[in-house]
């Protein structure tokens, strides 16, 4: 076994690897960029090495800097985690050339699966079923249109390199193919440096089921059962579970054997995932699943497999990389229970899942038998430089209904203030009827997106509590307790103050009247609410509103008030008159940057006439493309950015004027 390893990654996966390594008595070396100097993974590691600026291309993606850091600290091996350099065959080769061990598959195995078109051809030869489509070298747009026509719409355009939904577009009509191809190639070129694509038949009702495989250097290979990753948006997984609902032993055996054949075909060593797509138009069937790709690394969703199989896959990686055989044979592996994992992101589902930034002024996870994999702490910042994942929440229970109930409860007990999150979306998704009854498919979120992402409007209780907080006038700093500071303005008897609350999708005016030290009346236009504050300790706060009692937590920053109660999160913001985003949100004449990013494409010039909804500027931020469109008809009066410019959040990029303006 190794005595010291370097982890060539950041965030939650770096923290997760560190914890297993330290349990095994292995010293760990972290690497960090300027933006991560005070990050959690740096604090957890035994030592850490600075490797460059915030930009990943100059730090975490620099092969030379990573290897130099390992050599300088006398690490024996490098664990790549997932993302960044984890599936880079040249990096794995350079690690081995430097006399270090790459904790992962061989460079040859990575290359064999690195390009989806070549991988599919290899799998066909190995007897693994593949999705019908075009996987050749021809990339001329007209030729690809012909191939798509031959396959039959809808089709899926996929970058042959990389993954994570980058360079992927569904196309339903021939007339949309050209624009989708251009966008997919542009995104693939930016993400992977390779804009070649393949075309596949898009299955109308598919499920994404993947098999965890593991091989060693002694010729052994096993599978650790399946994960269902069908709940996706933009081809990014949202909630994963293991085992897959409705899976029969016959189909599990067929898929497991196909995955092991795939691994053996490339002499695979270490952890890998063979991803299949299953046509479930007539239910799961062992003759209707197809190979999509193989991820030659540890997957983000690996905790659900660890939960049901009772293993530590990172420990397996370390043991196999150090030359040991697999810890278990296929016959020794069994499924015990049901597991779910939900990915908690800093993003705004109501705005198309736009990534969010901010400082985590409050971060609290449920206690008890719930697994949390996080790469951030309270007080850390979510920056535009990297993926906005806050944490993964994983639960295990004896059966699916119990596990799903545990997942929902765990999400309801999770508290995040300081940034917008997808928590309410995840809670609604966990209760969605088709999913709850075990019938997920990859189109489920898209079909129900409006109901799943609708802005949570605050009810009377939330409005009343927020109004009392605002009326209290206490210092605008995190951690102040309104229970101890509301009394100052009540000393002169019954006092009253007007309050206007601002929240996503609207605002509400009211009047707060103190009826005594712990009683308040909150009057709206057509009703009033009586609120009593209980003088409990700082951990267990309660309010009584119109005869109903709630437990509540309140967190305040200079720009917002966040309430957690009754399983919901409510954000109330204070308006900044200089914030250009306010005008954009109300359909103004300015197009502003929703977050810091890079201007990729400007589609208009000054003086152009544009229509409402027309794409004006394409930005790149947090590993995704954002299309900014005209909020109304008009003429481009001024353009403030060009292609290649970096922008800050709420920067004005473009101004419009009405067509009939002088």
């Amino acid at each position: 076994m190794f005595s010291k390893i370097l982890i060539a990654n950041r965030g939650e996966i770096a923290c997760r690897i560190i914890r297993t390594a330290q349990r095994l008595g292995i010293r760990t070396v972290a690497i960090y960029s300027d933006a991560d100097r005070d990050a959690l993974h740096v604090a957890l590691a035994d030592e850490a090495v600075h490797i460059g600026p915030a930009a990943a291309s100059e730090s975490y993606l620099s092969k030379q800097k990573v290897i130099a850091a390992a050599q300088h600290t006398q690490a024996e091996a490098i664990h790549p985690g997932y993302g960044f350099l984890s599936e880079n065959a040249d990096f794995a080769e350079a690690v081995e050339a430097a006399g270090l061990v790459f904790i992962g598959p061989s460079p040859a195995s990575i290359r064999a699966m690195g390009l989806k078109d070549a991988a599919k051809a290899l799998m066909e030869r190995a007897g693994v079923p593949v999705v019908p489509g075009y996987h050749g070298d021809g990339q001329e747009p007209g030729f690809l249109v012909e191939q798509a026509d031959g396959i039959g719409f809808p089709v899926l355009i996929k970058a042959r390199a990389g993954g994570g939904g980058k360079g992927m577009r569904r196309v339903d009509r021939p007339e949309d193919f050209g624009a989708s191809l251009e966008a997919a190639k542009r995104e693939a070129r930016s993400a992977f440096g390779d804009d070649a694509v393949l075309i596949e038949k898009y299955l109308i009702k598919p499920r994404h089921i993947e098999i965890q495989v593991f091989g060693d250097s002694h010729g052994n290979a096993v599978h650790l059962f399946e994960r269902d990753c069908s709940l996706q948006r933009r081809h990014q997984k949202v909630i994963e579970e293991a085992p897959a609902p409705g899976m029969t032993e016959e189909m599990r055996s067929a898929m497991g054997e196909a995955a092991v054949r795939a691994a053996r075909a490339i002499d695979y060593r270490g952890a890998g995932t063979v991803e299949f797509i299953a046509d479930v138009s007539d239910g799961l069937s062992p003759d209707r699943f197809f190979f999509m790709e193989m991820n030659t690394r540890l997957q983000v969703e690996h905790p659900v497999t660890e939960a049901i199989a009772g293993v530590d896959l990172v420990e397996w990686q370390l043991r196999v990389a150090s030359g040991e055989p697999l810890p278990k044979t296929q016959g020794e592996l069994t499924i015990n229970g049901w597991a779910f994992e939900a990915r908690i992101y800093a993003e705004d589902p109501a705005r198309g899942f736009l990534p969010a930034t901010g400082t985590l002024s409050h971060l609290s996870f449920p206690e008890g038998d719930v697994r949390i994999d996080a790469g951030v702490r309270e007080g850390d910042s979510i920056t535009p430089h990297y993926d906005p994942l806050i944490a993964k929440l994983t639960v295990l229970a004896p059966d699916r209904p119990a596990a799903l109930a545990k997942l929902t409860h765990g999400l309801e007990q999770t508290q995040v203030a300081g940034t917008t999150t997808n928590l309410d979306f995840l809670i609604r998704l966990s209760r969605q009827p088709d999913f709850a009854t075990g019938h997920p498919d990859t189109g489920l979120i898209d079909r129900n997106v409006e109901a799943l992402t609708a802005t949570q409007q605050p009810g009377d209780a939330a409005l009343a509590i927020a109004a009392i907080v605002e009326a209290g006038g206490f210092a605008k700093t995190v951690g102040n307790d309104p229970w101890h500071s509301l009394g100052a303005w009540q000393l002169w008897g019954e006092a009253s103050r007007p309050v206007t609350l601002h929240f996503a999708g609207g605002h509400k005016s009211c009047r707060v009247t103190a009826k005594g030290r712990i009683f308040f009346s909150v009057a709206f236009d057509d009703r009033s609410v009586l609120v009593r504050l209980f003088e409990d300790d700082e951990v267990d706060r309660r309010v009584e509103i119109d005869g109903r009692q709630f437990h509540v937590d309140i967190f305040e920053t200079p720009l917002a008030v966040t309430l957690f109660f009754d399983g919901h999160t409510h954000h109330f913001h204070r308006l900044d008159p200089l914030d250009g985003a306010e005008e954009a949100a109300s359909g103004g004449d300015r197009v502003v940057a929703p977050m810091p990013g890079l201007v990729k494409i400007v589609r208009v010039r000054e003086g152009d006439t544009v229509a409402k909804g027309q794409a004006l500027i394409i930005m790149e931020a947090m590993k995704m493309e954002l299309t900014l469109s005209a909020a109304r008809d008009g003429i481009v009066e001024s353009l403030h950015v060009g292609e290649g410019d970096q922008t800050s959040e709420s920067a004005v990029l473009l101004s419009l004027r009405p067509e009939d303006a002088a």
Side-chain angles (χ1 to χ4, degrees):
M1 182 59 75
F2 308 112
S3 60
K4 181 190 284 190
I5 65 170
L6 180 137
I7 299 159
N9 219 295
R10 63 174 304 281
E12 68 86 11
I13 186 58
C15 297
R16 187 261 173 277
I17 295 166
I18 289 169
R19 290 189 172 99
T20 288
Q22 291 179 339
R23 178 175 61 78
L24 296 174
I26 302 171
R27 290 182 60 81
T28 56
V29 181
I31 56 174
Y32 63 93
S33 69
D34 288 347
D36 279 340
R37 192 175 299 274
D38 298 316
L40 180 58
H41 75 281
V42 175
L44 289 178
D46 295 296
E47 54 187 302
V49 179
H50 176 254
I51 58 167
S57 60
E58 300 179 59
S59 51
Y60 296 106
L61 289 172
S62 172
K63 306 178 188 69
Q64 296 79 11
K65 289 180 179 179
V66 172
I67 292 172
Q71 293 174 321
H72 178 69
T73 56
Q74 297 182 313
E76 301 159 82
I78 294 178
H79 195 307
Y82 57 71
F84 291 138
L85 296 168
S86 62
E87 294 182 281
N88 188 304
D90 292 340
F91 175 64
E93 206 163 58
V95 169
E96 294 180 353
L100 304 167
V101 175
F102 181 75
I103 302 174
S106 68
S109 295
I110 297 174
R111 286 196 177 95
M113 290 296 171
L115 297 179
K116 295 181 178 65
D117 50 359
K120 288 178 186 296
L122 178 61
M123 290 300 99
E124 283 183 305
R125 293 195 296 271
V128 179
V130 302
V131 181
Y134 172 71
H135 313 130
D137 294 329
Q139 295 293 308
E140 198 275 325
F143 174 74
L144 291 176
V145 170
E146 293 177 0
Q147 297 303 309
D149 284 334
I151 296 167
F153 288 88
V155 298
L156 194 64
I157 302 172
K158 296 174 67 174
R160 71 174 183 178
K166 306 291 190 304
M168 190 179 296
R169 295 290 188 281
R170 172 182 170 173
V171 188
D172 294 305
R173 306 180 306 164
E175 54 266 38
D176 297 331
F177 187 86
S180 297
L181 177 64
E182 177 187 342
K185 281 181 166 288
R186 183 174 60 248
E187 197 170 76
R189 186 166 52 249
S190 174
F192 316 120
D194 181 349
D195 69 356
V197 300
L198 49 87
I199 314 295
E200 290 181 349
K201 179 66 179 175
Y202 185 86
L203 302 182
I204 299 300
K205 194 170 183 182
R207 276 174 62 182
H208 181 130
I209 301 175
E210 59 189 33
I211 303 289
Q212 176 73 59
V213 294
F214 227 105
D216 62 22
S217 56
H218 302 275
N220 303 308
V222 299
H223 70 83
L224 291 93
F225 317 111
E226 78 278 0
R227 299 185 287 257
D228 194 306
C229 305
S230 298
L231 289 190
Q232 302 178 8
R233 51 97 186 156
R234 292 193 188 127
H235 309 290
Q236 293 273 16
K237 300 163 188 174
V238 178
I239 295 178
E240 301 95 353
E241 63 181 299
M247 178 65 70
T248 64
E249 284 302 326
E250 180 187 14
M251 187 166 181
R252 176 175 292 128
S253 176
M255 294 185 78
E257 290 172 4
V260 171
R261 283 201 304 274
R264 291 189 184 280
I266 57 172
D267 193 23
Y268 198 77
R269 179 189 70 225
T273 297
V274 182
E275 299 196 353
F276 295 101
I277 193 159
D279 180 358
V280 295
S281 53
D282 292 315
L284 286 175
S285 173
D287 61 353
R288 288 200 307 274
F289 70 89
F290 309 98
F291 172 87
M292 288 197 301
E293 61 185 340
M294 182 175 184
N295 291 301
T296 53
R297 54 170 168 79
L298 198 65
Q299 290 281 86
V300 179
E301 59 273 17
H302 75 274
V304 293
T305 294
E306 293 184 322
I308 65 163
V311 301
D312 183 332
L313 293 180
V314 172
E315 179 178 346
W316 279 37
Q317 286 185 298
L318 295 169
R319 292 193 180 283
V320 165
S322 65
E324 296 181 24
L326 290 177
K328 290 187 177 183
T329 64
Q330 191 69 64
E332 294 173 316
L333 291 164
T334 58
I335 295 175
N336 294 290
W338 209 288
F340 285 95
E341 176 189 286
R343 305 185 189 191
I344 302 169
Y345 276 97
E347 63 183 10
D348 190 347
R351 299 174 65 196
F353 296 94
L354 186 70
T357 57
T359 298
L360 299 172
S361 55
H362 174 67
L363 183 63
S364 175
F365 297 109
E367 298 179 354
D369 188 21
V370 175
R371 171 174 171 173
I372 300 294
D373 289 79
V376 291
R377 302 153 295 188
E378 186 170 292
D380 287 350
S381 293
I382 303 296
T383 74
H385 303 296
Y386 312 113
D387 187 87
L389 178 68
I390 295 174
K392 303 182 308 193
L393 186 152
T394 305
V395 297
L396 175 68
D399 54 44
R400 192 175 192 272
L404 190 55
K406 194 172 181 180
L407 175 72
T408 304
H409 184 70
L411 292 169
E412 290 177 335
Q413 297 302 305
T414 300
Q415 299 181 351
V416 184
T419 187
T420 304
T421 74
N422 65 341
L423 273 168
D424 280 342
F425 163 75
L426 292 172
I427 292 168
R428 293 180 196 178
L429 184 57
S430 72
R431 293 176 171 146
Q432 201 281 329
D434 289 335
F435 177 55
T437 54
H439 297 92
D441 66 82
T442 59
L444 186 149
I445 291 177
D446 286 341
R447 290 194 306 272
N448 298 277
V449 69
E450 290 189 13
L452 293 170
T453 62
T455 301
Q456 176 75 36
Q457 297 298 315
D460 285 356
L463 290 168
I465 296 170
I468 294 171
V469 172
E470 287 296 310
F474 57 93
K476 308 299 190 292
T477 56
V478 177
N480 278 282
D481 187 353
W483 265 244
H484 297 298
S485 52
L486 279 169
W489 62 281
Q490 303 169 30
L491 297 176
W492 306 106
E494 187 170 291
S496 181
R497 291 186 180 179
V499 170
T500 298
L501 301 169
H502 300 273
F503 45 87
H507 65 276
K508 178 67 82 171
S509 295
C510 60
R511 179 166 287 275
V512 179
T513 302
K515 297 289 187 178
R517 193 167 61 85
I518 60 172
F519 289 95
F520 295 85
S521 173
V522 182
F524 301 98
D525 292 336
D526 55 350
R527 65 197 185 282
S528 63
V529 177
L530 183 64
V531 181
R532 176 189 178 187
L533 307 184
F534 287 81
E535 295 185 289
D536 295 339
D537 61 43
E538 293 187 6
V539 176
D540 184 20
R541 294 169 174 157
R542 285 184 298 141
V543 297
E544 182 180 286
I545 300 177
D546 289 342
R548 183 183 176 193
Q549 292 188 16
F550 300 89
H551 292 268
V552 61
D553 284 302
I554 302 173
F555 294 89
E556 189 191 20
T557 71
L559 298 178
V561 172
T562 302
L563 308 181
F564 303 102
F565 79 102
D566 202 26
H568 294 286
T569 302
H570 298 280
H571 297 289
F572 297 89
H573 61 274
R574 293 161 176 142
L575 293 184
D576 180 353
L578 300 179
D579 186 359
E582 290 297 329
E583 181 179 340
S586 61
D589 289 328
R590 297 187 296 171
V591 175
V592 303
M595 62 192 310
L598 174 71
V599 176
K600 296 285 288 184
I601 296 175
V602 178
R603 295 196 178 278
V604 293
R605 295 177 297 181
E606 290 184 0
D608 284 358
T609 299
V610 299
K612 180 179 179 179
Q614 180 178 335
L616 306 177
I617 293 173
I618 296 176
M619 286 181 58
E620 183 182 83
M622 283 186 168
K623 301 183 179 180
M624 65 181 290
E625 282 194 355
L626 311 173
T627 300
L628 307 182
S629 304
R632 62 182 64 175
D633 296 346
I635 296 173
V636 179
E637 182 173 48
S638 57
L639 190 61
H640 307 292
V641 293
E643 294 180 0
D645 287 351
Q646 291 281 348
T647 69
S648 59
E649 183 174 359
S650 295
V652 178
L653 310 180
L654 179 151
S655 298
L656 297 175
R657 71 171 188 271
E659 292 183 70
D660 55 1

